[in-house]
Amino acid sequence: MSRARSLVVGPAPYVFHHQTTASLMWGAAAALAPAAAWGIYSFGAGAAIPLVAAIGAALVGEAAVAALSKRFTLLDGSAFLTGLLVGMAMPPGISPFIPAASALFAVVIVKGAFGGLGSNWMNPALGGIAFALLDWPKAMGAWIAPRQLADIGAVSGATPLGMVRDRIGQAPAGSSVIDLLSAAGMRFTDFDRGVTDALNGGLFSRLGAELPRGYIDLLVGNRPGAIGEISAILILAASIVLIARRMLRWEVPSAIVASFSVLSWAFGGLPLGNGFFSGDVLFSLSTGSFLLVAFFMAPDPVTSPSTRNGMIVYGLGVGSLSFLLRQFGSGSEGCAFAVLMMNCLVPILDRGRGNRRSARSGALAGGGK
């Protein structure tokens, strides 16, 4: 007796990869764990509460959707990764209700209501973050200083991006962003001083350059900010691991970083009276949610183009919009909304001239799609 076989076809994009969805999701979550752990160390054990609330709510929402659709999907890691990303984008002292509600919105509405895994048109984690930013803007802007700055009289009312934005109109011509941070009351650690002096003495002095104080703290994560976004070094390390293991395509984040960096360099210095091509690229890249969004949410293969040319155009658009929203938007951040706007153009980018050739396989489903 012959046994009938059926081929189950899911929603596009159709990209072959030897890794499973579960391995991609859990791999991304593992790569992000050090950045989340650094946030808990920096802000205290209480910072784990928003993370746990977001992850727990995401799992509950996934279980509810799975029960309705009669498909068990909890073990694929998509809901866990979505909750982790939502929690990492939260201020450390926020009420657990907000990350929980945001994660539920991401999993149940953004993903589940559109058909579940692979059917959503926007990144679920970014959808949940945008939901929180629009519904609780005051709570999402309540920042505290990490423990590394507690003993040096640092201010705790704003992130470095917020400090610069608040004082950029009154800054003397020729000021740098570090000058503005110092004027705002931000202080830097002895660790920053030691590493900066070592780099200047051993490397930059030979090149005729000098690294100002403050950048090491910004890169390492000794600054106010969201729980999982403060350490640029750990986020970059996680992205390098994923790219090396071919769990993340390089085209989208590379295009985002390139366009954002060029625009920040070309026009970022104008508000400070420094002229064209004087913007502080390092500060722009190492602050806010930019790196987390660029490497772990924007490259989602479900909500980003599946062709190489489309990926590059998409990434250039995300980077450009991120710069414009930071410079002229109502808030100091705009990366999440930049990705959501470009998500709307993905069908056009995939059908555009020159984008008909399928890209090679391998992409990270960031945000739990």
Side-chain angles (χ1 to χ4, degrees):
M1 183 177 68
S2 62
R3 180 177 297 176
R5 288 187 173 184
S6 61
L7 175 64
V8 179
V9 180
Y14 307 114
V15 180
F16 172 78
H17 199 278
H18 67 278
Q19 292 174 319
T20 64
T21 297
S23 68
L24 292 173
M25 300 294 179
W26 291 114
L32 286 170
W38 177 257
I40 295 173
Y41 166 79
S42 297
F43 298 112
I49 296 175
L51 285 169
V52 172
I55 293 171
L59 294 176
V60 169
E62 183 77 4
V65 172
L68 291 174
S69 62
K70 298 181 180 180
R71 293 186 303 170
F72 185 75
T73 55
L74 277 177
L75 297 183
D76 66 16
S78 60
F80 184 93
L81 181 58
T82 296
L84 176 63
L85 287 168
V86 170
M88 290 176 70
M90 295 289 152
I94 199 168
S95 166
F97 169 77
I98 295 176
S102 302
L104 274 176
F105 178 83
V107 171
V108 176
I109 304 300
V110 178
K111 186 175 75 169
F114 284 90
L117 190 69
S119 300
N120 46 283
W121 69 270
M122 77 166 71
N123 183 287
L126 282 177
I129 294 167
F131 177 75
L133 289 170
L134 294 173
D135 284 278
W136 299 283
K138 186 175 181 179
M140 290 293 289
W143 309 105
I144 61 176
R147 68 171 69 190
Q148 300 92 309
L149 304 181
D151 297 330
I152 57 177
V155 297
S156 59
T159 63
L161 272 179
M163 295 179 195
V164 170
R165 188 182 181 91
D166 290 343
R167 286 160 179 81
I168 204 165
Q170 297 81 34
S175 299
S176 68
V177 291
I178 299 299
D179 294 334
L180 268 62
L181 292 178
S182 298
M186 186 169 180
R187 301 293 178 261
F188 304 112
T189 63
D190 291 336
F191 174 79
D192 177 275
R193 178 187 293 109
V195 175
T196 300
D197 290 345
L199 288 173
N200 284 331
L203 175 63
F204 291 111
S205 61
R206 299 178 182 179
L207 302 174
E210 182 179 4
L211 180 69
R213 286 200 62 199
Y215 289 102
I216 300 302
D217 274 348
L218 293 177
L219 288 169
V220 170
N222 297 329
R223 60 177 179 85
I227 297 168
E229 296 174 353
I230 57 174
S231 179
I233 292 293
L234 291 177
I235 294 173
L236 284 173
S239 65
I240 291 171
V241 170
L242 295 181
I243 291 174
R245 294 178 61 85
R246 304 190 70 178
M247 299 169 69
L248 170 65
R249 287 294 297 259
W250 60 266
E251 290 90 343
V252 170
S254 297
I256 293 174
V257 171
S259 57
F260 183 79
S261 299
V262 169
L263 290 173
S264 297
W265 173 54
F267 304 107
L270 294 178
L272 292 169
N274 294 331
F276 292 101
F277 304 105
S278 61
D280 194 326
V281 177
L282 183 58
F283 174 82
S284 298
L285 291 176
S286 60
T287 52
S289 63
F290 177 79
L291 291 177
L292 188 65
V293 171
F295 284 98
F296 287 90
M297 301 186 202
D300 163 26
V302 175
T303 59
S304 64
S306 56
T307 60
R308 175 163 292 174
N309 290 343
M311 291 179 190
I312 293 173
V313 174
Y314 168 82
L316 293 174
V318 171
S320 301
L321 286 172
S322 296
F323 171 78
L324 291 174
L325 291 174
R326 269 198 186 183
Q327 288 291 104
F328 305 109
S330 59
S332 58
E333 269 288 8
C335 301
F337 295 101
V339 175
L340 295 179
M341 285 189 281
M342 288 303 298
N343 286 158
C344 301
L345 301 180
V346 168
I348 298 174
L349 295 176
D350 270 337
R351 290 197 300 267
R353 181 177 299 178
N355 290 338
R356 300 184 183 278
R357 190 165 56 120
S358 181
R360 291 175 59 190
S361 63
L364 167 65
K369 274 36 88 205

